[in-house]
Amino acid sequence: MTAQLEAATRLSLDEDDYFRGVSAGMPEGSRRVIDGLEKVKSVYVECDRDDALLTGFNRYLERYVATRRLPRQEADCFFLVGASGAGKTAAIGRLLSGHAALRPVPTPYGLKPRYVSIKLKGYAPPRLVGLQIVREAGYGLAMKTGRGEVWDGMAGHLQSQGVFLVHIDEAQHLLKRNASQSDREELANAIKGVAIDTKWPVAFVFSGLPEVLGLPIGDDQVERRGNFVRFADVAMPEEKDLVLNILSRMGEAVGIASSHLADTDLPERLAFAARHRYARICQLVEGALQEAMHWKREALTYGHFAVAFERRSLAYGQDDKNPFLAEHWRGLRQGSFLTIDDAPAQSS
């Protein structure tokens, strides 16, 4: 095991011990629910979009491997885009960590990763993004290193660590909202320079909001190399079975039933409350299960969802604004997942 992996393992163990202490200070009922929530959070419900993502990524990887057999050719870029709450981060993280072609390589010094993944939390200058990438790969560089030096040497640094793929999550933060055309072209050229390195072309995977597509548009050569997968909203009633499967699979983890809701309008209300976003649907189901566990119930009810929605919005005490309680819920404006629209509910 490398020193980097050993340090990460020690940190993980220390954090587990730390939060076990936090959990121990919670009420007994909360400790029981925490145990249940850990089981719920471990559930990932696959669907057609995961198949589409895997197929698109495999096609992309096929072309990259063929590129390596022809050293003068260049690597493409892969883009996964979708609205906030679509579940992009979980889906791409699960794909990369579980893909057989990306498994770490055993060496006499431990396991060496084939890819690195970073998550941008806000706009960061390209130099700092480059530093984060090479450091995640285990290559140390000084903070004073210039932007040109970081990106110009990145392919060689990653080659020395055996890393051929770089994943950047929340990649829309690569660009400022008011980025000029020259800013876009400069960043696109920096990424392109690493992707077309003749000795070690690096494969880039970008996931984030659709704004990230502003990157390739700034350079038609990067656009030409783009591979794109988009996570659309959950369509209702066409994908009602997906919502029911989410309810069933997540509830099964803690022995809480949901089959009795199949012939009700709960799945439609749930999708509506979550703005038809996959990850938000899962988030609300998790919240409803949390309430059911607190009440020690064996089956989900509308009430569990109504309370879960209240806790994640400003709908407390306003039943006409709660899509799990309002009679004319279809008339509510979507987007009141976190805030309440002042407009009154309308008849459906």
Side-chain angles (χ1 to χ4, degrees), residues 3-16:
Q4 181 185 17
L5 289 174
E6 286 178 350
T9 301
R10 286 196 302 271
L11 179 60
S12 176
L13 291 174
D14 291 344
E15 288 179 350
D16 288 344

Side-chain angles (χ1 to χ4, degrees), residues 117-130:
S117 181
I118 67 170
K119 183 182 182 73
L120 302 182
K121 299 177 181 178
Y123 173 71
R127 181 181 68 86
L128 296 183
V129 175

Side-chain angles (χ1 to χ4, degrees), residues 6 14 45 65-66 91 93 119 139 159 161 285-286 290 306 348:
E6 286 178 350
D14 291 344
V45 182
V65 174
K119 183 182 182 73
Y139 194 98
Q159 181 182 21
Q161 301 300 307
V285 173
E286 177 189 311
Q290 182 178 9
S348 55

